[in-house]
Amino acid sequence: MIPIHEAIKLVLQHTTRLEAESVALSDALDRVLAEDIIADCDLPPFDRAQMDGYAVRAEDLSTTPARLAIVGESAAGSGWHHEMKTGEAVRIMTGAPVPVGADAVQQVELTRESDGHVEILERVVSGRSIVRRASEIKAGEIVLRAGEDINAAMIATLASFGYAAVKVGRKPRVAVMATGSELVDVDKKPGADQIRDSNNYTIAAYAALAGAAVERLPLAVDDTEQLKGQIAEAAARADMLVTSGGVSMGVYDFTKAALRELGAEIFFERVSLRPGKPTVFARLGETLVFGLPGNPVSVAVTFNLFARTALRAMQGAKEPALKEETAVLASDLKGSMERESYLPAVLRTDDKGRLLAEPLKWGGSSDFVAFARATALIDVPAGVKIIQAGSPVKIVRLSV
């Protein structure tokens, strides 16, 4: 049984980054950048007005009100490309180029226009309401880096620098298979000694959130030979296979036996983790295999700690593992003397602005109803019997 940090280290050590692919900008959201994004122009590309008003020379306004001749108009997309001289002003709109000779913009509310002239009512200092060329970005600078996740706010950056197509990490192909003769699909009514499968759908959902292209496979029964065939077939067409169930030490736990008989290289099979001790990480041919426990909460915890990390690393993510943060514990929480615990919680802020982690009242690794509200996991070190409310705790956020 190995510690969690060693298990994550092994996952990263044995995960290979997939090749990059080019996608249209409209399809780039939530993908992982596989190239640095370089500015192909200055931003802004010219001295730009920050508001509607008049482009002026600050020295012309040593005394106010000052009367200036209006010699032109500069609008966004249609600038006035002449040199402005002493005693002149140019009507200007927000986002428009500031003409040569002007060094300030006075807002329209502090002006009066009549008979081809404008009266400027208050003085301005040089540079007022002007964004200078290249003050945000200079051509040739790196604006986004490979390994970053493309979010909605980044789309404007990509578009502004001409990236109609973007290089991103390829989506890993993930096959998901739940095992157990007691399982029936969600559209079936369970008979005696049966339960509906939830793990297939949970894993598929988390894998999709991690950027994978997911295939849900038919349920697998507790038969080693049949399971070997299903695992081999799935591994032949996937970058990763994620199974649930059949990895503990019971008589009917067949997944590890099937993997061994197929010649899989098993990197670990037990982790010092609560919940989720019987977690398997292996490689069959070129395909990574994660054998997760059968209990639904254990599935969610182990997928997010281990399988998600591998999926993100496959895509070239700069930070593949869940990011650790600190919160204040909202109520007392029991730990485990033997194993490190990742326990479900809801995050909220109090009236002082503190991030609070409220532990969920749950009945163990099969209590998926309580876990449905979880937005984070609280990391409780091994050997800690109880953490008092008000104590700082380490948390990781779940994708929701």
Side-chain angles (χ1 to χ4, degrees):
M1 190 161 64
I2 65 172
I4 294 169
H5 72 272
E6 287 189 18
I8 293 173
K9 185 177 178 180
L10 281 170
V11 167
L12 291 172
Q13 179 183 331
H14 294 287
T15 299
T16 302
R17 180 176 173 177
L18 300 175
E19 68 277 10
E21 62 181 2
S22 183
V23 300
L25 177 58
S26 56
D27 298 322
L29 184 64
D30 294 330
R31 303 295 293 271
V32 179
L33 273 172
E35 62 177 332
D36 290 341
I37 301 302
I38 311 295
D40 67 345
C41 62
D42 293 336
L43 196 66
F46 43 77
D47 289 352
R48 183 177 65 199
Q50 283 186 299
M51 59 180 59
D52 294 343
Y54 293 86
V56 297
R57 294 160 56 93
E59 64 182 26
D60 287 344
L61 308 180
S62 56
T63 59
T64 54
R67 184 175 171 82
L68 304 174
I70 301 172
V71 294
E73 180 177 278
S74 184
S78 180
W80 186 79
H81 299 294
H82 306 280
E83 184 174 357
M84 201 181 76
K85 298 179 176 61
T86 301
E88 296 179 341
V90 169
R91 189 184 300 109
I92 198 164
M93 314 304 169
T94 303
V98 176
V100 175
D103 65 354
V105 172
Q106 179 59 288
Q107 66 194 73
V108 69
E109 293 85 354
L110 298 177
T111 66
R112 287 195 294 259
E113 182 179 332
S114 65
D115 300 325
H117 289 76
V118 62
E119 191 176 20
I120 308 297
L121 304 179
E122 292 185 11
R123 298 177 62 185
V124 293
V125 296
S126 180
R128 170 77 177 272
S129 299
I130 295 177
V131 182
R132 293 298 182 188
R133 176 174 181 164
S135 60
E136 297 170 3
I137 291 292
K138 293 181 180 178
E141 287 187 0
I142 296 175
V143 292
L144 299 172
R145 294 193 176 273
E148 293 188 63
D149 297 309
I150 301 173
N151 59 35
M154 292 177 180
I155 297 298
T157 300
L158 293 165
S160 294
F161 295 120
Y163 284 83
V166 188
K167 286 184 181 178
V168 296
R170 175 170 70 78
K171 281 180 172 283
R173 299 183 299 268
V174 176
V176 180
M177 180 170 62
T179 71
S181 297
E182 77 278 14
L183 299 176
V184 297
D185 213 338
V186 295
D187 58 349
K188 303 290 192 300
K189 185 173 180 61
D193 305 321
Q194 291 182 320
I195 57 172
R196 289 190 177 96
D197 165 47
S198 64
N199 289 342
N200 242 351
Y201 297 90
T202 298
I203 294 169
Y206 278 127
L209 285 173
V214 184
E215 178 187 11
R216 284 190 300 104
L217 302 177
L219 298 174
V221 299
D222 292 327
D223 178 274
T224 303
E225 289 304 314
Q226 185 174 335
L227 192 56
K228 282 166 58 179
Q230 289 174 288
I231 289 174
E233 183 181 346
R237 63 175 187 267
D239 301 302
M240 178 189 292
L241 169 64
V242 184
T243 69
S244 59
V247 291
S248 193
M249 305 295 288
V251 175
Y252 290 95
D253 291 318
F254 296 100
T255 302
K256 280 193 296 188
L259 287 170
R260 285 197 173 93
E261 291 182 25
L262 287 168
E265 182 181 6
I266 296 179
F267 303 116
F268 62 75
E269 55 187 288
R270 296 174 78 219
V271 183
S272 183
L273 169 64
R274 167 180 171 254
K277 179 172 71 173
T279 298
V280 174
F281 174 48
R283 182 167 56 212
L284 181 58
E286 298 298 317
T287 303
L288 295 182
V289 180
F290 286 90
L292 308 184
N295 283 324
V297 178
S298 297
V299 162
V301 171
T302 54
F303 180 93
N304 279 284
L305 288 177
F306 307 122
R308 178 190 180 276
T309 298
L311 288 175
R312 301 266 298 143
M314 284 179 168
Q315 296 167 82
K318 192 163 50 178
E319 296 180 349
L322 291 170
K323 185 178 179 181
E324 194 174 76
E325 302 176 52
T326 301
V328 176
L329 190 64
S331 57
D332 293 353
L333 182 63
K334 292 181 180 178
S336 167
M337 294 303 293
E338 296 81 21
R339 289 176 282 161
E340 188 174 355
S341 302
Y342 274 77
L343 305 179
V346 173
L347 297 180
R348 59 183 175 85
T349 54
D350 64 10
D351 55 8
K352 297 179 181 178
R354 299 182 304 171
L355 180 64
L356 300 182
E358 180 69 63
L360 289 172
K361 295 178 180 179
W362 63 303
S365 59
S366 62
D367 191 355
F368 54 84
V369 175
F371 190 84
R373 306 296 180 191
T375 57
L377 301 172
I378 301 173
D379 180 6
V380 182
V384 175
K385 288 184 178 181
I386 190 167
I387 303 178
Q388 301 291 335
S391 302
V393 288
K394 299 296 184 184
I395 60 103
V396 291
R397 296 177 189 260
L398 294 170
S399 298
V400 292

Short mmCIF file of all heavy atoms in Angstrom, two decimals, residues 128-150:
data_model
loop_
_atom_site.label_atom_id
_atom_site.label_comp_id
_atom_site.label_asym_id
_atom_site.label_seq_id
_atom_site.Cartn_x
_atom_site.Cartn_y
_atom_site.Cartn_z
N ARG A 128 -4.37 62.36 -21.06
CA ARG A 128 -5.72 62.12 -20.51
C ARG A 128 -6.58 61.34 -21.50
O ARG A 128 -6.71 61.70 -22.67
CB ARG A 128 -6.36 63.46 -20.18
CG ARG A 128 -7.85 63.42 -19.83
CD ARG A 128 -8.06 62.90 -18.41
NE ARG A 128 -9.47 62.94 -18.08
CZ ARG A 128 -10.09 63.99 -17.53
NH1 ARG A 128 -9.40 65.10 -17.29
NH2 ARG A 128 -11.36 63.94 -17.23
N SER A 129 -7.15 60.22 -21.02
CA SER A 129 -8.13 59.40 -21.77
C SER A 129 -7.57 58.85 -23.08
O SER A 129 -8.29 58.67 -24.05
CB SER A 129 -9.41 60.19 -22.03
OG SER A 129 -10.01 60.58 -20.82
N ILE A 130 -6.26 58.57 -23.08
CA ILE A 130 -5.63 57.94 -24.24
C ILE A 130 -4.91 56.67 -23.78
O ILE A 130 -4.17 56.70 -22.80
CB ILE A 130 -4.60 58.88 -24.92
CG1 ILE A 130 -5.30 60.10 -25.50
CG2 ILE A 130 -3.83 58.14 -26.01
CD1 ILE A 130 -4.34 61.12 -26.11
N VAL A 131 -5.17 55.56 -24.48
CA VAL A 131 -4.40 54.33 -24.27
C VAL A 131 -3.33 54.28 -25.34
O VAL A 131 -3.63 54.25 -26.54
CB VAL A 131 -5.30 53.08 -24.37
CG1 VAL A 131 -4.48 51.82 -24.10
CG2 VAL A 131 -6.47 53.18 -23.40
N ARG A 132 -2.06 54.33 -24.93
CA ARG A 132 -0.97 54.43 -25.88
C ARG A 132 -0.75 53.12 -26.64
O ARG A 132 -0.99 52.03 -26.12
CB ARG A 132 0.32 54.81 -25.16
CG ARG A 132 0.31 56.22 -24.56
CD ARG A 132 0.16 57.29 -25.62
NE ARG A 132 0.19 58.65 -25.05
CZ ARG A 132 -0.06 59.73 -25.76
NH1 ARG A 132 -0.39 59.64 -27.05
NH2 ARG A 132 -0.01 60.92 -25.18
N ARG A 133 -0.29 53.27 -27.88
CA ARG A 133 0.03 52.11 -28.71
C ARG A 133 0.99 51.17 -27.97
O ARG A 133 1.96 51.62 -27.34
CB ARG A 133 0.66 52.56 -30.02
CG ARG A 133 1.11 51.40 -30.90
CD ARG A 133 1.60 51.87 -32.23
NE ARG A 133 2.00 50.73 -33.05
CZ ARG A 133 2.19 50.78 -34.36
NH1 ARG A 133 2.01 51.92 -35.02
NH2 ARG A 133 2.56 49.69 -35.01
N ALA A 134 0.69 49.86 -28.01
CA ALA A 134 1.52 48.80 -27.43
C ALA A 134 1.61 48.87 -25.91
O ALA A 134 2.46 48.21 -25.31
CB ALA A 134 2.91 48.77 -28.05
N SER A 135 0.75 49.66 -25.27
CA SER A 135 0.80 49.75 -23.81
C SER A 135 0.29 48.47 -23.15
O SER A 135 0.58 48.20 -21.99
CB SER A 135 -0.02 50.95 -23.31
OG SER A 135 -1.38 50.83 -23.70
N GLU A 136 -0.49 47.66 -23.87
CA GLU A 136 -1.00 46.40 -23.34
C GLU A 136 -0.09 45.24 -23.74
O GLU A 136 0.34 44.44 -22.91
CB GLU A 136 -2.43 46.17 -23.82
CG GLU A 136 -3.40 47.24 -23.30
CD GLU A 136 -4.77 47.17 -23.96
OE1 GLU A 136 -5.00 46.27 -24.78
OE2 GLU A 136 -5.61 48.05 -23.66
N ILE A 137 0.19 45.12 -25.03
CA ILE A 137 1.04 44.04 -25.54
C ILE A 137 1.83 44.57 -26.73
O ILE A 137 1.29 45.30 -27.57
CB ILE A 137 0.19 42.83 -25.99
CG1 ILE A 137 -0.44 42.14 -24.78
CG2 ILE A 137 1.02 41.82 -26.78
CD1 ILE A 137 0.54 41.44 -23.85
N LYS A 138 3.10 44.15 -26.84
CA LYS A 138 3.91 44.48 -28.00
C LYS A 138 3.97 43.28 -28.94
O LYS A 138 3.97 42.13 -28.49
CB LYS A 138 5.33 44.87 -27.57
CG LYS A 138 5.40 46.17 -26.79
CD LYS A 138 6.83 46.50 -26.43
CE LYS A 138 6.90 47.81 -25.64
NZ LYS A 138 8.29 48.14 -25.24
N ALA A 139 4.02 43.53 -30.23
CA ALA A 139 4.13 42.46 -31.22
C ALA A 139 5.34 41.58 -30.88
O ALA A 139 6.41 42.08 -30.55
CB ALA A 139 4.28 43.05 -32.62
N GLY A 140 5.13 40.26 -30.95
CA GLY A 140 6.19 39.32 -30.64
C GLY A 140 6.18 38.79 -29.23
O GLY A 140 6.87 37.79 -28.93
N GLU A 141 5.41 39.40 -28.34
CA GLU A 141 5.33 38.91 -26.96
C GLU A 141 4.46 37.67 -26.87
O GLU A 141 3.51 37.49 -27.63
CB GLU A 141 4.77 39.99 -26.03
CG GLU A 141 5.72 41.13 -25.76
CD GLU A 141 5.17 42.09 -24.71
OE1 GLU A 141 4.05 41.85 -24.22
OE2 GLU A 141 5.86 43.07 -24.40
N ILE A 142 4.80 36.79 -25.92
CA ILE A 142 3.96 35.62 -25.63
C ILE A 142 2.81 36.07 -24.74
O ILE A 142 3.03 36.64 -23.66
CB ILE A 142 4.77 34.51 -24.94
CG1 ILE A 142 5.88 34.00 -25.88
CG2 ILE A 142 3.86 33.36 -24.51
CD1 ILE A 142 6.81 33.00 -25.24
N VAL A 143 1.59 35.80 -25.18
CA VAL A 143 0.42 36.24 -24.40
C VAL A 143 -0.25 35.09 -23.66
O VAL A 143 -0.85 35.29 -22.60
CB VAL A 143 -0.59 36.98 -25.30
CG1 VAL A 143 -0.01 38.30 -25.77
CG2 VAL A 143 -1.00 36.14 -26.51
N LEU A 144 -0.17 33.88 -24.20
CA LEU A 144 -0.67 32.68 -23.53
C LEU A 144 0.37 31.58 -23.75
O LEU A 144 1.02 31.55 -24.80
CB LEU A 144 -2.03 32.23 -24.09
CG LEU A 144 -3.19 33.21 -23.96
CD1 LEU A 144 -4.40 32.70 -24.72
CD2 LEU A 144 -3.55 33.44 -22.49
N ARG A 145 0.49 30.66 -22.81
CA ARG A 145 1.53 29.65 -22.91
C ARG A 145 0.95 28.25 -23.07
O ARG A 145 -0.14 27.94 -22.58
CB ARG A 145 2.45 29.70 -21.69
CG ARG A 145 3.25 31.00 -21.61
CD ARG A 145 4.37 30.93 -20.60
NE ARG A 145 5.17 32.16 -20.61
CZ ARG A 145 6.20 32.38 -21.42
NH1 ARG A 145 6.56 31.44 -22.30
NH2 ARG A 145 6.86 33.52 -21.38
N ALA A 146 1.72 27.40 -23.75
CA ALA A 146 1.34 26.00 -23.90
C ALA A 146 1.12 25.39 -22.52
O ALA A 146 1.86 25.66 -21.58
CB ALA A 146 2.44 25.24 -24.65
N GLY A 147 0.08 24.56 -22.42
CA GLY A 147 -0.25 23.93 -21.15
C GLY A 147 -1.36 24.61 -20.39
O GLY A 147 -1.89 24.05 -19.43
N GLU A 148 -1.74 25.82 -20.84
CA GLU A 148 -2.86 26.51 -20.19
C GLU A 148 -4.18 26.01 -20.74
O GLU A 148 -4.30 25.65 -21.92
CB GLU A 148 -2.75 28.02 -20.42
CG GLU A 148 -1.57 28.69 -19.73
CD GLU A 148 -1.62 30.20 -19.82
OE1 GLU A 148 -2.59 30.79 -19.28
OE2 GLU A 148 -0.73 30.80 -20.45
N ASP A 149 -5.20 26.00 -19.89
CA ASP A 149 -6.55 25.65 -20.33
C ASP A 149 -7.18 26.86 -21.01
O ASP A 149 -7.12 27.97 -20.49
CB ASP A 149 -7.41 25.24 -19.13
CG ASP A 149 -6.88 24.00 -18.45
OD1 ASP A 149 -6.64 23.02 -19.15
OD2 ASP A 149 -6.68 24.03 -17.21
N ILE A 150 -7.81 26.62 -22.13
CA ILE A 150 -8.46 27.70 -22.86
C ILE A 150 -9.84 27.94 -22.26
O ILE A 150 -10.73 27.09 -22.37
CB ILE A 150 -8.57 27.38 -24.36
CG1 ILE A 150 -7.18 27.14 -24.97
CG2 ILE A 150 -9.28 28.51 -25.11
CD1 ILE A 150 -7.21 26.66 -26.41
#
